[in-house]
């Protein structure tokens, strides 16, 4: 139960993980077959993350 007074604490890492899980669920439900590893990487934008880490 959330404390009274509106003192909400946000965990930005957890929120980002939840968003990524949601994106995977959407992609999986739209797919006709099981998602390939490449498709999962595309949904999670793994290549983009690797590219930005190199900069």
């Amino acid at each position: 139960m959330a404390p009274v007074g509106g003192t909400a604490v946000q965990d930005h890492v957890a929120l980002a993980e939840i968003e990524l899980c949601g994106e995977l669920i959407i992609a999986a439900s739209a797919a006709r077959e099981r998602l390939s590893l490449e498709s999962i990487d595309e949904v999670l934008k793994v290549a983009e993350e690797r590219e930005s880490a190199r900069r």
Side-chain angles (χ1 to χ4, degrees), residues 16-51:
E17 288 179 2
I18 291 168
E19 185 175 345
L20 290 173
C21 287
E23 294 294 329
L24 278 176
I25 291 168
I26 291 168
S29 66
R32 294 179 183 247
E33 297 178 0
R34 192 174 196 170
L35 292 177
S36 67
L37 293 178
E38 293 81 16
S39 296
I40 293 170
D41 285 351
E42 185 177 324
V43 170
L44 298 178
K45 300 177 182 164
V46 172
E48 292 175 19
E49 288 295 321
R50 285 184 186 151
E51 185 63 32

Side-chain angles (χ1 to χ4, degrees), residues 3-23:
V4 178
T7 57
V9 176
Q10 290 188 359
D11 183 342
H12 296 285
V13 173
L15 291 173
E17 288 179 2
I18 291 168
E19 185 175 345
L20 290 173
C21 287
E23 294 294 329

